[in-house]
């Protein structure tokens, strides 16, 4: 076999794997992505990109493409109902809240858009940035050693077989994750049901009776069935629970059974139904998944790192799964780049799990609560909606890549481990958000009263910005928003999270900076970042 070489091999071409390719390429890391399906999925899956996800896409040239793409059908189909059948009497009816206003916390409102619309946009951006993206390509046996991984790969179109040698492998290969299973990594949590997705076209006007229904929780053909709009007025997806312990499996869902289940759920026995292939270019009629809430016991095994559904699965309520996975790989990308480019020690990769696991566990708990509320007697409450915002923007990392405060006089805002606050600033004569200042390296931001004679020496891996010089703060809120004085300093990581701060920047504090960077980047203490 021939052999190809890359820095990072990504297994999985869903939204998480494709986002990882975009993020890594921004750091200049060579990437090869392989996906066994011939194209991206037509299933909508996630329908809301959170403010935090949109911030990440904004920083990687994707925000405009997402904002100008066709919006989700849920923008108009706002109602959620519960009934025996769609045509039958309602037991409950509510309205999905519009995207929460977060202008006080983020420059990016949420985007209501189908994942099936977003994935081709992210793929195009990854390829534009130079990622090698290979769909209809299957990953086989993977071995690893002290220096990297070796993967056997097959081009399913041509039959060509070859090996890929990579320094690291990101497993973004879905909730069934063959890579996770091959490594023997177990999961911990709750498995609520096995579900089959049936995509179809039908005119449901008579059953809808003019209601703008986007989601319907139904008791037919079996309790726990969910009907949702797909990507058009007459295109839908029916999600039907099934029981493998009774011998049921995806093969039992023939086209005829799918049509019968759709008619039972809608409540119209003679409904004209056309079943759609769930993956374009294949003959697969259905897609199966688990309604579950679990987190893998390990995020990393050697040089293989798990992300997205491969490492955590949560109920779809709240639309938090894809957003959590995208934020996983954003956290991971800058760390992989720093290690691969010699600017950080390999131990930095250990902070991926210590930072992202608590977020996944909290998100799983909230998603499960939302699922139970929507499928039960009531609807989603205000506290749960606030919880979604907090999980997206307000969590805090506690890891070796964060230097916790040990001094008095520092405020709660801007604590190390939190996302650096959003403020409206001006740079180079143009309005911007503070979130636009960070990356691809670390950024040291100095307050307007910081000692000018104690600036760090020029270093290509650390950008220094001074409020009142390179950046203007019209509101005068920068110091308070970061919990430091006018003469303070804040070190922000490439992912926009505060790594360290000082109430006063002076010569003594400047001498501490190399040690702080060494700690954050897992380098030997009292050592400056390694040269490339």
């Amino acid at each position: 076999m021939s052999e190809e070489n890359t820095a990072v091999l990504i297994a999985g071409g869903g939204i998480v794997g494709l986002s990882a390719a975009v993020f890594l390429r921004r750091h200049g890391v060579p990437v090869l992505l392989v996906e066994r399906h011939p194209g991206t999925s037509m299933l909508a899956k996630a329908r809301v990109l959170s403010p935090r996800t949109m911030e990440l896409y904004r920083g990687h040239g994707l925000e405009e493409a997402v904002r100008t793409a066709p919006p989700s059908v849920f923008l108009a189909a706002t109602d959620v109902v519960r009934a025996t059948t769609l045509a039958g009497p309602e037991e409950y009816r509510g309205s999905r809240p519009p995207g929460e206003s977060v202008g006080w916390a983020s420059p990016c409102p949420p985007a209501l858009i189908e994942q099936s619309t977003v994935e081709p946009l992210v793929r195009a951006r990854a390829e534009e940035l130079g990622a090698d993206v290979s769909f209809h390509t299957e990953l086989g046996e993977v071995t690893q050693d002290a220096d990297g991984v070796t993967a056997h790969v097959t081009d399913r179109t041509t039959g060509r077989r070859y090996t890929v040698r990579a320094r690291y492998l990101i497993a973004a290969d879905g909730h069934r994750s063959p890579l996770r299973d091959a490594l023997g990594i177990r999961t911990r949590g709750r498995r609520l049901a096995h579900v089959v997705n049936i995509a179809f076209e039908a005119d449901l006007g008579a059953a809808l009776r003019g209601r703008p229904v986007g989601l319907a929780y139904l008791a037919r053909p079996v309790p726990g069935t969910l009907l949702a709009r797909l990507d058009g007025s007459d295109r839908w997806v029916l999600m039907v629970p099934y029981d493998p312990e009774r011998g049921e499996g995806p093969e039992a869902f023939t086209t005829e059974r799918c049509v019968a289940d759709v008619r039972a759920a809608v409540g119209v026995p003679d409904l004209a139904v056309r079943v759609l292939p769930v993956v374009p270019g294949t003959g697969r009629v259905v897609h199966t998944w688990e309604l579950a809430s679990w987190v893998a016991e390990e995020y990393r095994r050697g040089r293989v790192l798990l992300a997205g559904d491969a490492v955590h699965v949560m109920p779809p309520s709240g639309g938090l799964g894809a957003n959590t996975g995208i934020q996983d790989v954003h956290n991971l990308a800058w760390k992989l780049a720093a290690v691969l480019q010699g600017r950080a020690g390999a131990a930095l990769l250990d902070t991926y799990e210590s930072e992202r696991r608590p977020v996944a566990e909290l998100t799983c708990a909230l998603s499960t609560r939302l699922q139970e509320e929507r499928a039960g007697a009531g609807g989603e409450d205000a506290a749960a909606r606030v919880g979604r915002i907090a999980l997206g923007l307000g969590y805090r990392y506690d890891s070796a890549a964060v230097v916790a405060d040990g001094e008095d006089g520092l405020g709660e805002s801007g604590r190390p481990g939190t996302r650096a606050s959003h403020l409206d600033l001006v740079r180079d004569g143009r309005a911007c958000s503070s979130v636009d200042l960070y990356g691809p390296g670390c950024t040291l931001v100095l307050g307007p009263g910081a000692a000018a004679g104690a600036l760090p020496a020029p270093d290509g891996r650390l950008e220094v910005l001074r409020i009142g010089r390179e950046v203007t703060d019209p509101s005068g809120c920068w110091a308070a928003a970061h919990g430091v004085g006018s003469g303070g300093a804040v070190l922000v990581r490439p992912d926009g999270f505060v790594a360290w701060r000082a109430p006063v920047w002076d010569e003594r504090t400047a001498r501490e900076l190399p040690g702080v960077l060494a700690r954050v980047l897992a380098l030997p203490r009292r050592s400056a970042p390694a040269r490339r």
Side-chain angles (χ1 to χ4, degrees):
M1 293 188 208
S2 59
E3 181 176 284
E4 296 186 9
N5 290 274
T6 190
V8 178
L9 174 62
I10 300 173
I15 196 166
V16 173
L18 291 167
S19 295
V22 170
F23 300 152
L24 285 164
R25 285 303 303 148
R26 187 196 180 199
H27 291 283
V29 175
V31 170
L32 170 60
L33 181 149
V34 296
E35 163 59 51
R36 66 188 183 91
H37 290 122
T40 53
S41 174
M42 67 170 288
L43 295 176
K45 300 180 183 177
R47 297 181 185 269
V48 179
L49 297 180
S50 71
R52 179 58 182 159
T53 295
M54 290 306 297
E55 288 180 359
L56 306 185
Y57 281 174
R58 172 190 179 106
H60 291 79
L62 273 165
E63 184 183 23
E64 183 178 359
V66 172
R67 299 284 185 203
T68 56
S72 170
V73 295
F74 274 43
L75 192 63
T78 56
D79 286 9
V80 179
V81 300
R82 188 182 309 112
T84 300
T85 69
L86 182 66
E90 297 173 356
E91 299 170 12
Y92 163 83
R93 182 176 177 184
S95 181
R96 290 165 56 91
E100 295 86 350
S101 174
V102 293
W104 53 272
S106 172
C108 300
L112 194 60
I113 186 171
E114 322 294 0
Q115 182 173 326
S116 55
T117 302
V118 175
E119 285 184 356
L121 302 177
V122 183
R123 175 180 178 177
R125 181 59 176 157
E127 293 173 331
E128 180 184 359
L129 291 172
D132 186 350
V133 178
S134 297
F135 272 64
H136 215 207
T137 301
E138 188 156 15
L139 188 69
E141 181 184 7
V142 174
T143 58
Q144 60 175 310
D145 52 45
D147 298 319
V149 299
T150 301
H152 293 261
V153 177
T154 302
D155 184 322
R156 300 179 73 183
T157 301
T158 66
R160 175 185 170 234
R161 301 177 63 201
Y162 57 100
T163 62
V164 175
R165 180 68 179 171
R167 296 281 300 281
Y168 291 95
L169 168 60
I170 296 177
D173 52 344
H175 70 281
R176 294 189 180 91
S177 186
L179 284 166
R180 185 189 66 238
D181 289 346
L183 292 170
I185 295 176
R186 302 172 70 176
T187 64
R188 184 178 301 168
R190 299 168 59 191
R191 283 165 172 76
L192 307 174
H194 292 270
V195 181
V196 62
N197 281 359
I198 304 168
F200 68 94
E201 284 183 346
D203 180 0
L204 304 189
L208 288 170
R209 304 189 299 278
R211 297 171 296 170
V213 173
L215 287 172
Y217 291 85
L218 307 171
R220 300 276 178 85
V222 295
T225 295
L226 177 63
L227 176 67
R229 290 190 185 266
L230 188 54
D231 56 6
S233 60
D234 291 335
R235 288 162 65 95
W236 299 78
V237 59
L238 186 71
M239 293 165 252
V240 182
Y242 67 95
D243 189 354
E245 293 186 0
R246 295 183 179 179
E248 293 182 315
E251 64 281 351
F253 288 84
T254 62
T255 300
E256 292 73 21
R257 176 172 174 178
C258 290
V259 170
D261 282 355
V262 169
R263 289 171 171 169
V266 176
V268 179
D270 59 350
L271 181 71
V273 178
R274 184 168 81 90
V275 177
L276 305 171
V278 292
V279 179
T282 73
R284 290 176 53 199
V285 176
V286 297
H287 167 76
T288 59
W289 56 283
E290 284 185 340
L291 179 61
S293 178
W294 55 255
V295 179
E297 293 184 349
E298 299 174 60
Y299 273 50
R300 178 188 180 191
R301 181 73 65 82
R303 289 178 174 266
V304 180
L305 301 110
L306 279 62
D309 286 353
V311 77
H312 49 66
V313 166
M314 55 201 68
S317 295
L320 300 172
N323 289 290
T324 305
I326 292 166
Q327 292 160 40
D328 284 344
V329 290
H330 187 259
N331 179 285
L332 179 58
W334 77 267
K335 296 174 180 178
L336 276 172
V339 171
L340 287 165
Q341 294 163 1
R343 296 179 285 107
L348 178 63
L349 297 178
D350 294 334
T351 67
Y352 169 56
E353 177 171 347
S354 60
E355 292 185 348
R356 294 304 300 170
R357 171 186 287 283
V359 176
E361 291 172 344
L362 286 171
T363 307
C364 282
L366 177 60
S367 295
T368 301
R369 174 183 168 184
L370 290 171
Q371 182 72 24
E372 291 170 348
E373 287 175 351
R374 289 182 178 179
E380 179 181 329
D381 64 20
R385 294 197 293 273
V386 172
R388 288 208 305 270
I389 300 174
L391 275 176
L393 298 172
Y395 53 82
R396 182 168 67 91
Y397 293 148
D398 182 10
S399 77
V402 172
V403 181
D405 288 332
E407 300 182 46
D408 295 331
L410 294 168
E412 284 297 311
S413 298
R415 291 180 63 188
T418 63
R419 166 184 159 276
S421 300
H422 156 63
L423 291 170
D424 292 319
L425 303 175
V426 176
R427 185 177 188 183
D428 298 328
R430 296 182 179 180
C432 71
S433 166
S434 52
V435 303
D436 300 325
L437 303 179
Y438 313 124
C442 291
T443 305
L444 179 67
V445 186
L446 303 178
L455 295 180
D459 187 325
R461 291 156 300 282
L462 176 68
E463 184 175 16
V464 180
L465 297 175
R466 295 169 293 176
I467 302 297
R469 297 290 187 89
E470 292 83 8
V471 178
T472 303
D473 175 21
S475 69
C477 294
W478 179 87
H482 293 85
V484 297
S486 174
V490 177
L491 179 67
V492 183
R493 308 187 321 185
D495 58 354
F497 278 72
V498 177
W500 169 83
R501 62 181 176 169
V504 176
W505 177 264
D506 54 21
E507 292 185 2
R508 181 187 64 81
T509 312
R511 288 193 295 270
E512 295 177 5
L513 183 62
V516 167
L517 281 168
R519 177 174 172 180
V520 170
L521 298 174
L523 291 165
R525 294 297 177 89
R526 294 191 295 274
S527 170
R531 297 289 179 183
R532 295 185 184 180

